[in-house]
Amino acid sequence: MRRFISITLALNLLLSLTACFGPPVDPDTVQESIQVIAMDTAMLISTYGKRSTAAAYASEDLIRDLEAQLSRTEEDSEVSRLNAADGRPTEVGPDLAALLTAAEEYRADTGGAFDITVAPVVSAWGFTEDSFRVPAQAELETLLEKVDGSAVRVERTAGGCTAALAPGQSADLGGIAKGYAADKLADLFREYEIPRAIATLGGNVLAWGDRPDGTAWRVGVQDPARPDEQNGFVGILNLKNSFAVTSGGYQRYFEEDGRTYHHIIDPATGYPADSDLTSVTVVAEVLPPDAEQLYGPGTMCDALSTALFVMGREQALNFWTSRKNAFDLVLVTKDGEIYVTGGIAEDFVFDEESGYAYPVLVK
Ligand code: ADP
Ligand code: MG
């Protein structure tokens, strides 16, 4: 296991200087950062406060533990055992049970645009093992017969939980697991009394509290046309105590015969979603702790960012209108438009140099 902790050098220096000469530095303004390569992405977690070091280490342990349970490429993960069981119930821990329950909620809610049983199709395109290919139509049609998240069963028993898929099905939690991890990080930050933190788990961001100077965290919304540019943003979201999750076809893709194929699959066709969107960002506030809730807004943002990308602009905005208070959106379309929904109108700062049309405010 690789651990990589860094305290900002300047702050280190400041600490040692003030130890001799000045007033003590407020620990709520000292940052601890840990980088974790997990869940197929690079993660960076920065914590502040008296227990920031312990919280950073605990964050890494939490993510590694989740990955060990949920990875579908590690043979003895819980998910791999579930996928190999060919329809028989297997024992699952509370995390996988919660995720399967959440996945079903969002599948039903999005009319099947989000469906974890799309796994065999994702694999056929080579996104699971990085061995990209374009599957034949007949192959996709056969695989699609097994795609139906409503067949997944989760049962709470006296000793714990069991879960079962339908025979021949498998599940892929890649579209929801990082959001769930972000929810668990929020619980951890609360437990460690972390006053402020920023966690970037690939496209999943948790902006916890505010910045040391009391202003909001600044979360860039990547310009899908410039995926490799570090500061290639369409705009910045100013966020406190919020989750922000972006899905886009630009994040993982391959090219063949002049066509681009990305990793978000439309469960209705078996093809990469061919909507009029290039990215979807879903934003929701951190909620107070609730022991009854198995998963929270981070999980919701992740599932919905994937689903709304599949659904396309019109359906995504209708979906938002019917559930306005639960989350907000930044949509980027193929023809260069940006849509921002009412709840974050004040928080989104458009980059006028980005080449996009001025954002359309959706009320
Ligand atoms: P990322 O994981 O790149 O941040 P997403 O959250 O949008 O992006 O998840 C995409 C991943 O989810 C894919 O790599 C695949 O494992 C899985 N997936 C693809 N299409 C769907 C879908 N329609 N419903 C649920 N999961 C999907
Ligand atoms: Mg997602």
Side-chain angles (χ1 to χ4, degrees):
M1 197 195 305
R2 266 199 322 155
R3 293 206 191 256
F4 178 73
I5 277 267
S6 74
I7 299 182
T8 315
L9 257 184
L11 280 172
N12 241 338
L13 192 66
L14 200 67
L15 268 179
S16 48
L17 287 178
T18 50
C20 308
F21 305 116
V25 168
D26 176 1
D28 287 2
T29 64
V30 180
Q31 184 205 59
E32 195 76 72
S33 285
I34 193 157
Q35 198 195 8
V36 187
I37 309 293
M39 298 186 176
D40 246 349
T41 193
M43 305 182 170
L44 184 68
I45 299 156
S46 300
T47 49
Y48 294 74
K50 287 193 199 72
R51 299 176 71 197
S52 58
T53 306
Y57 279 123
S59 299
E60 175 175 10
D61 291 343
L62 184 155
I63 286 162
R64 296 219 182 276
D65 175 53
L66 279 178
E67 183 176 42
Q69 297 176 53
L70 305 175
S71 164
R72 122 174 140 91
T73 49
E74 275 177 43
E75 233 175 78
D76 50 72
S77 74
E78 280 183 23
V79 166
S80 294
R81 275 185 269 133
L82 176 69
N83 287 345
D86 197 29
R88 288 180 304 275
T90 57
E91 263 179 53
V92 296
D95 292 317
L96 181 51
L99 271 163
L100 294 172
T101 308
E104 173 51 17
E105 175 185 343
Y106 298 115
R107 184 205 62 80
D109 214 21
T110 62
F114 184 82
D115 194 327
I116 55 169
T117 65
V118 79
V121 183
V122 175
S123 295
W125 286 93
F127 286 113
T128 313
E129 305 282 354
D130 282 348
S131 49
F132 307 121
R133 58 188 269 271
V134 179
Q137 184 65 32
E139 181 185 351
L140 287 177
E141 276 164 22
T142 308
L143 293 174
L144 281 175
E145 287 168 15
K146 299 288 180 199
V147 177
D148 174 13
S150 72
V152 180
R153 296 278 167 265
V154 180
E155 273 180 40
R156 273 150 242 284
T157 59
C161 277
T162 62
L165 307 174
Q169 280 190 328
S170 53
D172 179 339
L173 297 170
I176 193 170
K178 292 193 287 288
Y180 181 76
D183 274 331
K184 293 203 74 167
L185 281 182
D187 292 340
L188 187 151
F189 294 160
R190 208 174 275 124
E191 183 193 329
Y192 280 77
E193 295 174 345
I194 296 300
R196 51 177 55 92
I198 182 96
T200 306
L201 319 180
N204 287 242
V205 177
L206 166 57
W208 180 255
D210 54 9
R211 291 199 296 180
D213 64 0
T215 59
W217 293 105
R218 293 160 53 80
V219 179
V221 179
Q222 186 76 39
D223 177 359
R226 296 177 290 161
D228 301 323
E229 245 176 74
Q230 257 209 340
N231 293 313
F233 300 131
V234 295
I236 303 280
L237 280 163
N238 288 318
L239 300 176
K240 293 181 185 178
N241 283 320
S242 300
F243 298 91
V245 179
T246 300
S247 284
Y250 64 90
Q251 288 163 328
R252 221 156 155 239
Y253 62 89
F254 68 96
E255 284 168 351
E256 197 173 296
D257 297 332
R259 285 204 57 183
T260 302
Y261 301 95
H262 61 73
H263 71 315
I264 301 175
I265 303 295
D266 183 346
T269 64
Y271 266 77
D274 184 22
S275 74
D276 48 1
L277 297 173
T278 50
S279 85
V280 173
T281 300
V282 183
V283 179
E285 276 175 35
V286 174
L287 295 176
D290 179 351
E292 303 283 294
Q293 282 300 23
L294 299 175
Y295 48 91
T299 308
M300 172 189 72
C301 288
D302 198 2
L304 291 186
S305 70
T306 308
L308 300 189
F309 182 85
V310 172
M311 285 155 76
R313 187 197 65 158
E314 198 181 330
Q315 272 195 57
L317 289 178
N318 288 341
F319 188 87
W320 176 77
T321 306
S322 62
R323 292 160 179 80
K324 263 186 189 181
N325 297 319
F327 61 89
D328 275 285
L329 298 174
V330 179
L331 305 181
V332 184
T333 73
K334 271 184 187 157
D335 44 13
E337 293 171 318
I338 300 172
Y339 291 80
V340 179
T341 60
I344 50 168
E346 307 278 296
D347 306 320
F348 181 75
V349 183
F350 174 55
D351 181 349
E352 296 187 16
E353 315 274 277
S354 65
Y356 285 80
Y358 207 80
V360 178
L361 175 61
V362 187
K363 287 190 188 152

